[in-house]
């Protein structure tokens, strides 16, 4: 077993971004600017947005937070998005998910200017990704690919099993890894809640990506010895520690790490990379590279 150190790799990416932003400011140009919309007071969403703001600050990227009460109307959100879409001083916009049930999140995401959609959730960006055209890639799948690239884990011809078919992680990462490219050129099996013989499929994986949203779901008996394990889960489990909880992933780390090859820890694996990927996209939006 070898740890894939997402924290160290993401710090390196943030250093690279910081250097680029400093060069922009040295040329007397304005810094890249990321806006975030946060609705309600879901603790997990608040933590994610706070981490994104902190990462912006540490790299010199300007960040603005537009915070709304849970009861905000869809109309009001759409009008703020319209304002941000037309503000030439804002390069990227994310709307933290999930949104309250009275708001149609598909409509909200579709209202974001695709050229500012640094989350890569807009149908235009997802469609372009499907076609292999330049687009903003969703941050978590992009972070996973960057992690594989920088850890020199070869994916060509490998059998990759993805657990979970969400629009944010499982479906896009499966597509991205099966496309031509490096990382890419893999044979991908996308598994979900209705998959038969899940264990039989998992044990064939050279690379197993767990994005199923269930703590400790992947057991050692599901893993081929030496397989690469990418754990996307982030679960807060209450315990009797001073903090009152600990963070764990979709993989039963203690047992799996005894038999697998390289593995991402939780925390300090994929989560750190997601934010680094968002900053990379923000810089790309600033440079109008699409
Ligand atoms: N909720 C969970 N993950 C994400 C993400 O990557 N972006 C946004 N906007 N919301 C999320």
């Amino acid at each position: 077993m070898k740890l894939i150190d997402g924290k160290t790799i993401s710090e390196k990416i943030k250093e690279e971004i910081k250097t680029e932003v400093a060069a922009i400011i040295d040329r007397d140009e304005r810094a890249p600017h990321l806006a975030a919309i946060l609705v309600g007071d879901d603790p997990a969403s608040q933590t994610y947005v706070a981490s994104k703001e902190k990462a912006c600050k540490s790299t010199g990227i300007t960040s603005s937070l537009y915070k709304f009460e849970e009861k905000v109307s869809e109309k009001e959100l759409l009008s703020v998005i319209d304002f941000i879409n037309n503000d030439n001083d804002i390069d990227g916009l994310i709307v933290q998910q999930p949104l309250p049930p009275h708001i149609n999140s598909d409509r909200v995401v579709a209202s974001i200017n695709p050229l500012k959609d640094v989350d890569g959730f807009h149908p235009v960006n997802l469609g372009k990704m499907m076609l292999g055209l330049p687009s903003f890639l969703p941050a978590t799948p992009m972070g996973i690919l960057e992690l594989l690239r920088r850890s020199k884990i070869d994916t060509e011809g490998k059998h990759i099993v993805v657990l979970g078919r969400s629009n944010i992680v499982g479906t896009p990462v499966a597509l991205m890894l099966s496309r031509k490219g490096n990382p890419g050129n893999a044979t991908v099996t996308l598994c979900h809640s209705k998959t038969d013989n899940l264990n039989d499929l998992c044990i064939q994986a050279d690379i197993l990506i767990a994005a199923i949203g269930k703590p400790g779901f992947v057991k050692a008996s599901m893993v081929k010895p030496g397989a690469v394990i990418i754990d996307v889960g982030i679960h807060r489990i209450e315990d009797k520690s001073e903090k009152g909880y600990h963070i764990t992933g979709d993989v039963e780390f203690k047992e799996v790490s005894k038999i697998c090859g390289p593995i991402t820890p939780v925390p300090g694996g994929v989560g750190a990379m997601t934010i680094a990927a968002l900053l990379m996209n923000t810089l790309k939006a600033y440079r109008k590279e699409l």
Side-chain angles (χ1 to χ4, degrees):
M1 185 274 282
K2 177 175 164 274
L3 276 188
I4 304 174
D5 187 351
K7 190 163 187 322
T8 301
I9 295 173
S10 72
E11 292 301 336
K12 169 102 186 15
I13 295 172
K14 282 193 268 181
E15 276 307 313
E16 292 165 9
I17 292 173
K18 189 175 172 182
T19 305
E20 294 199 38
V21 174
I24 290 169
I25 293 168
D26 270 354
R27 294 196 298 268
D28 279 341
E29 291 167 25
R30 73 158 173 84
H33 186 168
L34 173 68
I37 293 181
L38 175 63
V39 179
D41 41 31
D42 171 51
S45 291
Q46 284 181 326
T47 308
Y48 288 140
V49 170
S51 309
K52 290 169 189 175
E53 286 199 288
K54 192 171 150 215
C56 283
K57 202 162 178 209
S58 76
T59 51
I61 293 177
T62 307
S63 69
S64 311
L65 177 59
Y66 294 77
K67 220 165 172 292
F68 296 92
E69 284 183 29
E70 183 90 12
K71 61 177 197 287
V72 67
S73 70
E74 187 176 313
K75 194 161 169 245
E76 191 176 346
L77 271 192
L78 292 177
S79 82
V80 172
I81 292 172
D82 184 52
F83 170 82
I84 296 172
N85 280 344
N86 291 297
D87 185 337
N88 290 333
D89 286 342
I90 298 179
D91 307 292
L93 166 62
I94 59 167
V95 179
Q96 188 62 34
Q97 305 288 339
L99 290 169
H102 68 277
I103 292 175
N104 181 324
S105 21
D106 289 339
R107 248 191 325 252
V108 167
V109 170
S111 76
I112 298 172
N113 177 349
L115 297 172
K116 295 193 179 188
D117 168 42
V118 286
D119 255 336
F121 293 168
H122 191 286
V124 165
N125 281 315
L126 289 170
K128 284 184 173 173
M129 178 193 75
M130 218 291 287
L131 297 167
L133 298 170
S135 66
F136 289 116
L137 299 173
T140 300
M142 180 173 158
I144 294 171
L145 264 71
E146 201 59 31
L147 205 50
L148 294 169
R149 187 189 344 266
R150 292 186 184 234
S151 308
K152 303 200 169 17
I153 293 171
D154 195 14
T155 56
E156 184 157 309
K158 297 287 187 317
H159 184 197
I160 300 183
V161 172
V162 178
L163 295 179
R165 57 178 158 182
S166 73
N167 287 342
I168 291 183
V169 186
T171 299
V173 85
L175 188 62
M176 285 156 71
L177 287 167
S178 61
R179 297 197 63 81
K180 284 182 185 165
N182 180 23
N185 286 336
T187 305
V188 181
T189 304
L190 179 55
C191 299
H192 46 76
S193 56
K194 304 284 186 243
T195 299
D196 277 343
N197 308 324
L198 190 71
N199 286 25
D200 297 348
L201 290 166
C202 288
I203 207 147
Q204 293 175 37
D206 302 310
I207 301 173
L208 184 61
I209 301 179
I212 205 158
K214 291 186 183 155
F217 181 87
V218 175
K219 313 280 186 245
S221 61
M222 298 160 74
V223 172
K224 178 162 84 176
V228 177
I229 309 291
I230 306 292
D231 189 349
V232 185
I234 302 180
H235 309 281
R236 194 190 271 221
I237 309 287
E238 289 185 13
D239 62 19
K240 293 200 165 66
S241 69
E242 205 175 308
K243 259 200 316 198
Y245 68 89
H246 63 277
I247 303 291
T248 187
D250 285 357
V251 176
E252 206 177 69
F253 185 88
K254 206 166 156 217
E255 293 304 317
V256 170
S257 61
K258 286 182 191 157
I259 62 156
C260 68
I263 180 168
T264 58
V266 178
V270 174
M273 291 301 294
T274 298
I275 292 185
L278 177 70
L279 300 182
M280 288 166 79
N281 275 347
T282 303
L283 206 51
K284 194 165 162 173
Y286 174 86
R287 292 207 199 100
K288 309 219 177 320
E289 277 176 2
L290 286 186

